[in-house]
Amino acid sequence: MSEMPPAAPVGRPRRRRTRVWWIAFLGIVSVVTICAAVGVGAFLGILGELPAIEELEYYDPPQVSQLYDRTGSMAIGEFRNKDLRRQVVPLDEIPLDLRNAFIAIEDSRFLEHFGVDIIGVVRAMRTNLRAGAIVEGASTLTMQLTRNILPDVGTEKTLERKIKEAILAFQIERRYSKAQILEFYLNHIALGPTDFGVSAAANAYFLKSLDQLTLAECATIAGIPKATTVYNPRFNPKRSQARRDIILRRMHMLGMISDERLEQALAEPLVTNPGQSSLSRYPYFVAQVRTDLLGHHGLSSDLLINGGLRITTTIDPAIQEACDKAMREGLVRAEKQWQAAKPRRQTQEREKWNGQLRAGEIRLMRIEKLTSDTVSVRLNQWNTSFKLPAELPYYDPSVVLKQGALLDVFVEEVTDAGAGEFRGRLGDTIPIQGSIVVLNAHTAEVLALVGGANFYNERWHGHFNRATMGGRQVGSCIKPLFFAAAFERGFGPDQVIVDEAVEYGVPGGYYRPINYEKRFFGPQTLIEAMEHSRNVVTLRLYESLGMNQMLDVVRRFDFTERQPQWELRRELSQPLGTIDVSPLELAAAYQAIANLGVAIRPQLVRAIADAQGNQVLRPKREEQAILDPIAAYQTQYILRQVVLGGTGQREIGSRFKSPPYPPVVGKTGTTNLCVDGWFAGFTPDLVIVVQVGFDNPRPMGPEMTGGRLAGPIWAEAFDGILKTRPNWSMSFETPPGIRVANICARHGNRAGSCGSPVYYNVPFKAGQEPTKPCDGRVRTPLVRPVTGQWSYLGGQRSGIARASSEGPSYQNHDPGAYGDAPEVPAGSGGGSTYF
């Protein structure tokens, strides 16, 4: 029997097991150490990649430049990058309701946590584990701020990003107060495709400034960040309103709003601005401010759209609103007048028509049949039908498009002359347009500017600013500048020129000017000639006193720096209005007369500050004495007679008697064939210019004069402006060296016992006032009459007399082209009221 092997020593197995555990322990420690090192390394790597939070203090994002009214208190528009819209505002300008709405829905424990909401993290983890996917986040406002402002944080859903956000949130909370963090957040959060920050959102969605938002609107904005497309109140109003209501109820649950406010907000309908955004409350004015800043003041486009400038303009919103209303209502009224004048216009056109149609012309035709989208028309044997455009070019289509009415038809092609058939279309493309400019008479600040009927209607050439662009012939509104030139040369308002038939040689024929009334009125003082807008007297004054000398004076009135500037030519037609002038330029010229000869460049901006409040620009007044003060005052006097008893009496003078209204002086203007109608007038405080006409120059019809078209709009605007404040200056300043005298309106002498009407208190330069009392005989005319056969009472044309002409050629214009219809009988005199 063999022996059993000896048993192993009892202690050895224990030593082996201890060694194994020791090796395992060392391995675990090594792995943990390596992992910890890797983790620390990764953590340090993340820390090294994080941006310095100090960048928040120097963060200067692109932001819109905001425009304000003349008081600096009301936002009226903005300049911005088309792809980004932001305006940084301090926290105290953000309504408490808006702040609370964001806190309620995004981070209800914002005021309690230290950058990371542990309770929110646990809740999100539990929700995500149950769902088996990431369906809820735990980002605080501070964590959201890091990815909204600081670079290199990223937006992808990864653990690394969350770690970065948490670390940065801790640092931000240590360095900045809760108020500072909330201000950063609310100014930089994305709230639309191009809208960043709550100020931009308020304007974009509700056309409001922050202080105008309702509680419901605050909640609506706070609901957008969850998904800017899904909860956009303009494109998804139902979803937006549903989320708004959730936010309101959560605000109520958190004690931020009362039961009553909750019910009121829930009942409020969601109404948003239908457009993309509000570029301006007064777009024509704002567009001109941009032009002025880029051109005249030399600011860069980048600074304007990204610099966050605070631009205080010269606009007076109350005056602007009055002008907007007057223009809207006035153009509707002008359209009715234009339609009513069509029968008389057709009668005139038929006199020169041979009965044949030609492609490319426009003819008035009678509407025979009308449906919702087609119209059939006839003119003699000519007839056609055509489809109406979807958007009709009228303010009130029912006035123009009705059975039996006359319609302008464009002839595209004559298809069968024998059968009277042709292809045509509507001859009207856009409605009658107009413009208004209002200046402060003392400073030339632009208080209001209307450039058309609708800035945002592209089919109506909305962006074309008729108040400042292009320029139109101004008709008789230019005459006062030539009379002012005569007064500066020493001639007085009592001077007499004979209104008679004259003839000037021009290439290919003769120029025979006549007045609007197509008659002549004999001896006329310069006062009466301006009062009733006598063309022949104006031409004879211009011709006899020297074209070059008078043009040199008139050229001074062009004080706006528009390019190209007024084109003044040595042509006899110039003082009758063949100069292209914009309403702003004409307003600037009249402002110099109102300001006793001191012209001031129109100013649209009062001050500019940058985003930090530092002054960038305070424009200096650019002014120059361009006219003798006495000559300016004499021009004021004769323009006062236009309103008291001349072409501006019916629409202006009879409505605004002084007192109680401030004295109004002004001039009507009607261009060739009534293409444009103007009224330019001023008071001691204001200069107001109104222009009416089609964009494509075309006759508006017989008697569509400046007095009848522009006059009522001017009157309505002035009436609205007067209501904006209680006190206005009631008299014009009188320059030193003035003497006054009463003048016989009929004979031009110092008023005597002849019994004729009298102009009272006519201003003269001291020593030049007449002393000889009127004895019933006309004083010696300033310009020698070309014929002795004239009568100031009969006014009938008794023959053609040749007048010598100075210089080269003159343009050949329609003899009755310029001037204005008299509103009172000729020779009645307008001087029975004191100046």
Side-chain angles (χ1 to χ4, degrees), residues 13-88:
R14 290 180 180 174
R15 285 198 296 270
R16 286 200 185 103
R17 285 197 294 269
T18 300
R19 188 179 299 116
V20 170
W21 282 108
W22 178 248
I23 293 170
F25 172 74
L26 290 177
I28 292 171
V29 170
S30 299
V31 171
V32 170
T33 303
I34 293 171
C35 290
V38 172
V40 171
F43 182 76
L44 292 175
I46 292 174
L47 284 178
E49 294 176 358
L50 292 178
I53 63 170
E54 290 82 357
E55 292 186 22
L56 287 172
E57 298 177 14
Y58 308 104
Y59 188 61
D60 186 20
Q63 54 179 305
V64 300
S65 293
Q66 199 77 22
L67 288 86
Y68 295 86
D69 72 341
R70 63 187 296 102
T71 67
S73 60
M74 175 180 170
I76 64 163
E78 63 187 31
F79 301 136
R80 70 178 179 95
N81 188 315
K82 67 178 181 178
D83 297 323
L84 185 147
R85 187 179 197 213
R86 175 190 282 123
Q87 185 191 13
V88 177

Side-chain angles (χ1 to χ4, degrees), residues 577-828:
T578 60
I579 303 169
D580 286 345
V581 177
S582 74
L584 180 62
E585 290 171 333
L586 188 64
Y590 274 58
Q591 183 273 333
I593 298 174
N595 202 34
L596 292 181
V598 178
I600 306 175
R601 184 186 182 276
Q603 185 173 323
L604 294 101
V605 174
R606 306 186 88 186
I608 302 178
D610 62 19
Q612 289 72 43
N614 303 311
Q615 182 172 302
V616 174
L617 174 70
R618 184 174 293 277
K620 295 181 179 179
R621 184 180 300 175
E622 302 172 41
E623 61 181 57
Q624 180 180 342
I626 65 168
L627 185 68
D628 177 74
I630 293 178
Y633 191 75
Q634 289 173 317
T635 308
Q636 290 179 9
Y637 180 88
I638 64 173
L639 289 176
R640 179 65 173 149
Q641 306 315 308
V642 173
V643 173
L644 292 177
T647 59
Q649 190 273 337
R650 184 175 68 177
E651 300 294 347
I652 311 296
S654 62
R655 182 170 175 178
F656 302 104
K657 298 183 184 297
S658 181
Y661 298 105
V664 178
V665 308
K667 185 70 186 75
T668 53
T670 308
T671 63
N672 193 6
L673 302 177
C674 299
V675 169
D676 284 276
W678 297 73
F679 189 84
F682 57 87
T683 72
D685 295 315
L686 301 168
V687 180
I688 308 173
V689 172
V690 175
Q691 173 269 334
V692 179
F694 286 101
D695 282 354
N696 270 338
R698 53 187 285 203
M700 291 183 287
E703 299 183 19
M704 297 287 278
T705 62
R708 289 188 172 94
L709 279 176
I713 297 176
W714 195 100
E716 288 300 317
F718 184 56
D719 184 61
I721 292 170
L722 291 179
K723 297 172 183 175
T724 63
R725 73 179 200 221
N727 300 315
W728 297 91
S729 301
M730 295 302 294
S731 62
F732 291 93
E733 180 184 355
T734 304
I738 286 286
R739 297 289 185 272
V740 298
N742 299 335
I743 301 300
C744 174
R746 180 165 296 170
H747 304 112
N749 298 308
R750 193 180 187 99
S753 58
C754 70
S756 298
V758 174
Y759 289 111
Y760 292 93
N761 296 326
V762 180
F764 293 90
K765 188 173 184 178
Q768 294 183 354
E769 65 273 21
T771 57
K772 178 183 177 182
C774 184
D775 58 3
R777 291 183 294 181
V778 177
R779 66 174 296 177
T780 303
L782 172 66
V783 183
R784 182 177 179 179
V786 295
T787 176
Q789 300 177 10
W790 43 258
S791 167
Y792 68 88
L793 289 177
Q796 298 300 319
R797 193 169 160 175
S798 58
I800 298 295
R802 299 267 176 107
S804 61
S805 59
E806 175 192 346
S809 63
Y810 307 111
Q811 289 187 343
N812 190 5
H813 290 281
D814 184 344
Y818 303 97
D820 297 285
E823 308 295 352
V824 295
S828 64

Side-chain angles (χ1 to χ4, degrees), residues 346 350 353 355 365-366 368 378-383:
Q346 188 183 57
R350 280 177 176 270
W353 185 46
M365 300 186 180
R366 186 80 56 188
E368 290 195 323
R378 175 176 291 276
L379 175 61
N380 294 352
Q381 79 276 16
W382 300 98
N383 65 92

Side-chain angles (χ1 to χ4, degrees), residues 82 144 195 198 219 371 401 407 417 436 510 576 705 720 772 809:
K82 67 178 181 178
Q144 292 180 45
D195 300 304
V198 292
T371 67
L401 296 174
L407 187 68
I436 303 177
Y510 297 99
L576 300 187
T705 62
K772 178 183 177 182
S809 63

Side-chain angles (χ1 to χ4, degrees), residues 123 243 247 256-257 279 310 312 747 810:
R123 184 190 65 243
R243 182 158 175 81
I247 295 172
M256 295 174 172
I257 58 175
L279 297 180
R310 183 185 178 97
T312 303
H747 304 112
Y810 307 111

Side-chain angles (χ1 to χ4, degrees), residues 357-525:
L357 291 187
R358 297 193 311 272
E361 67 180 359
I362 294 178
R363 287 288 173 188
L364 277 172
M365 300 186 180
R366 186 80 56 188
I367 298 177
E368 290 195 323
K369 185 179 179 181
L370 186 66
T371 67
S372 61
D373 61 351
T374 61
V375 63
S376 299
V377 296
R378 175 176 291 276
L379 175 61
N380 294 352
Q381 79 276 16
W382 300 98
N383 65 92
T384 193
S385 297
F386 53 85
K387 190 177 180 64
L388 292 169
E391 182 179 0
L392 293 169
Y394 310 112
Y395 302 112
D396 185 357
S398 65
V399 171
V400 182
L401 296 174
K402 55 186 177 181
Q403 193 83 15
L406 291 174
L407 187 68
D408 282 289
V409 176
F410 180 84
V411 180
E412 293 182 321
E413 181 185 7
V414 176
T415 55
D416 190 339
E421 296 176 355
F422 71 99
R423 281 193 307 105
R425 58 177 169 79
L426 192 63
D428 305 314
T429 55
I430 65 173
I432 292 176
Q433 293 286 337
S435 56
I436 303 177
V437 173
V438 182
L439 301 183
N440 181 310
H442 310 290
T443 66
E445 290 184 329
V446 181
L447 303 178
L449 189 148
V450 182
N454 188 338
F455 183 86
Y456 299 106
N457 190 320
E458 294 182 3
R459 293 190 179 184
W460 290 4
H461 308 156
H463 282 43
F464 181 72
N465 194 337
R466 297 157 187 86
T468 61
M469 296 178 176
R472 303 288 286 255
Q473 293 189 0
V474 292
S476 294
C477 281
I478 206 71
K479 289 178 181 177
L481 310 189
F482 288 86
F483 277 65
F487 294 148
E488 183 167 87
R489 294 194 60 194
F491 298 96
D494 61 330
Q495 299 285 352
V496 170
I497 294 179
V498 178
D499 181 25
E500 59 182 335
V502 295
E503 183 179 87
Y504 298 92
V506 296
Y510 297 99
Y511 175 34
R512 298 169 178 171
I514 60 173
N515 300 307
Y516 181 90
E517 305 89 337
K518 293 184 171 54
R519 36 187 307 224
F520 305 102
F521 297 90
Q524 303 270 289
T525 63

